[in-house]
Amino acid sequence: PIHAVELNQLEFSSNSKYKGSITPQKAKELLRLTYEFIGNLNLEAIAVLVDNVCLRNQYAKPTNPYLLAYEIMIEKFQKIINERNDKDNTFGVVNISNASTQLAMKLTKIHQDIMKIGTQYVKFTTIFPKLNIQDTRESCFFELADLICYAYQRSYRNWICQNMGKKTNEGENYLSYIENLCKNIRI
């Protein structure tokens, strides 16, 4: 696996797997090349960005933002499948990393409820009704998802720094390499 945090922050990490075998400059170059590679893959990533502050300011009792994010993600997933109108790509499977048993149970319940009743906007006809919960080592898709999330996290951090008048990390715009893959949704 490519550990973006360790590669990007090699000079600040004392226990990185990469320490001593690669220079900080080479580590960042490897990370850049990884993002260029991902940016050329034939895949789509649905990124749901939740602004907790605005969500809570807008609604007196907001829906759980993570439930809301999951609903929006699954709706977008169903719409992508429908819009393709491709007989070879008629089913969607949601893969979840088994990071925690409690989280897996909560997401399983949320997914089952949404699949049964749909949402206000979408009825689910082609998304597999059961989550595929796997150990992170069982699929490279978890590594890709982690790298995509890291690109968003770094972009968000740079935006915060820029707006606070603090130094940003130049040359760290990993999101620019993969933005063609991402379907961004803001809530």
Side-chain angles (χ1 to χ4, degrees):
I2 299 287
H3 296 283
V5 174
E6 290 183 29
L7 285 171
N8 197 42
Q9 304 292 321
L10 186 61
E11 63 267 26
F12 305 113
S13 176
S14 59
N15 59 352
S16 171
K17 294 179 194 101
Y18 305 107
K19 199 87 169 178
S21 61
I22 191 171
T23 67
Q25 296 78 18
K26 288 283 187 190
K28 287 187 180 191
E29 177 67 8
L30 176 60
L31 194 53
R32 184 189 61 76
L33 290 170
T34 300
Y35 277 107
E36 282 182 5
F37 175 77
I38 293 170
N40 290 312
L41 293 175
N42 185 20
L43 62 90
E44 292 173 76
I46 302 169
V48 181
L49 311 173
V50 178
D51 185 336
N52 275 331
V53 175
C54 286
L55 188 69
R56 293 182 197 287
N57 288 340
Q58 188 173 359
Y59 304 103
K61 294 187 179 213
T63 302
N64 177 331
Y66 303 102
L67 170 59
L68 183 59
Y70 190 81
E71 287 177 356
I72 290 171
M73 181 278 305
I74 202 85
E75 287 172 356
K76 182 66 175 173
F77 189 23
Q78 181 67 63
K79 287 179 182 179
I80 288 170
I81 294 169
N82 293 347
E83 288 167 0
R84 283 191 178 152
N85 201 15
D86 180 356
K87 64 181 176 148
D88 294 328
N89 288 307
T90 57
F91 270 102
V93 177
V94 178
N95 296 303
I96 299 291
S97 165
N98 193 12
S100 118
T101 304
Q102 185 179 15
L103 180 61
M105 287 174 23
K106 284 181 181 178
L107 286 173
T108 297
K109 174 81 172 100
I110 289 169
H111 184 80
Q112 288 172 343
D113 291 347
I114 290 173
M115 290 299 110
K116 280 181 194 168
I117 60 173
T119 66
Q120 183 178 349
Y121 305 103
V122 176
K123 292 291 180 211
F124 298 96
T125 56
T126 58
I127 293 181
F128 200 67
K130 187 174 184 213
L131 287 179
N132 181 27
I133 301 172
Q134 296 179 309
D135 185 272
T136 56
R137 294 168 293 204
E138 292 179 23
S139 173
C140 66
F141 290 111
F142 296 124
E143 295 298 329
L144 289 171
D146 189 52
L147 285 161
I148 289 167
C149 289
Y150 184 75
Y152 274 94
Q153 185 271 336
R154 296 312 289 180
S155 180
Y156 180 65
R157 183 190 179 285
N158 282 340
W159 177 83
I160 288 174
C161 288
Q162 186 177 15
N163 284 288
M164 292 180 68
K166 299 192 179 219
K167 183 180 177 224
T168 61
N169 295 328
E170 296 299 321
E172 235 187 57
N173 192 4
Y174 304 120
L175 195 54
S176 67
Y177 296 106
I178 61 170
E179 63 188 349
N180 61 312
L181 307 176
C182 300
K183 310 286 186 214
N184 299 319
I185 303 164
R186 290 179 138 1
I187 58 171

